[in-house]
Amino acid sequence: MRANWESVIEKVLSYPDSDELNVLFQLLLTEEERSAVAGRLKVFQLLLQGELSQRQISADYQVSIATITRCSNYLKNMNNEHRELIRNMVL
């Protein structure tokens, strides 16, 4: 079976109720995976705000330096238009 990410996106978008969406994510993702996604979102938010260093983010939010570096590199390697889109999405 080949996984289709688009079908996941379509399924997520079909749930207007956050309680139902939460049940879906509990089905699809382990607690550890949900925590990792939430942590990554927080890292992107903090990096885009630009108020804390990577070390401060790691210490304050118990996120690995490796995760923070991956997120930071992703932001650094995108063009300004894409970065602004991401900023509007997560802040």
Side-chain angles (χ1 to χ4, degrees):
M1 175 174 75
R2 183 176 171 165
N4 181 346
W5 182 248
E6 291 302 318
S7 69
V8 174
I9 298 298
E10 289 173 12
K11 183 56 70 178
V12 167
L13 290 174
S14 74
Y15 286 93
D17 180 73
S18 64
D19 290 334
E20 290 177 352
L21 189 55
N22 189 40
V23 171
L24 178 66
F25 280 128
Q26 288 179 10
L27 174 71
L28 297 176
L29 303 170
T30 66
E31 177 62 35
E32 185 176 308
E33 290 166 333
R34 291 190 307 272
S35 180
V37 169
R40 186 167 287 200
L41 176 61
K42 188 64 178 176
V43 168
F44 277 117
Q45 290 168 333
L46 293 167
L47 289 171
L48 288 166
Q49 289 171 353
E51 297 173 4
L52 299 175
S53 70
Q54 290 185 20
R55 293 213 181 273
Q56 289 172 304
I57 293 170
S58 178
D60 292 352
Y61 294 92
Q62 290 77 48
V63 178
S64 74
I65 291 291
T67 295
I68 297 166
T69 300
R70 280 192 297 274
C71 292
S72 177
N73 287 341
Y74 183 74
L75 290 172
K76 287 177 186 174
N77 291 321
M78 67 177 61
N79 63 43
N80 290 336
E81 182 179 315
H82 193 193
R83 189 180 303 102
E84 194 58 33
L85 174 65
I86 297 295
R87 178 186 307 279
N88 291 331
M89 292 172 62
V90 302
L91 291 182

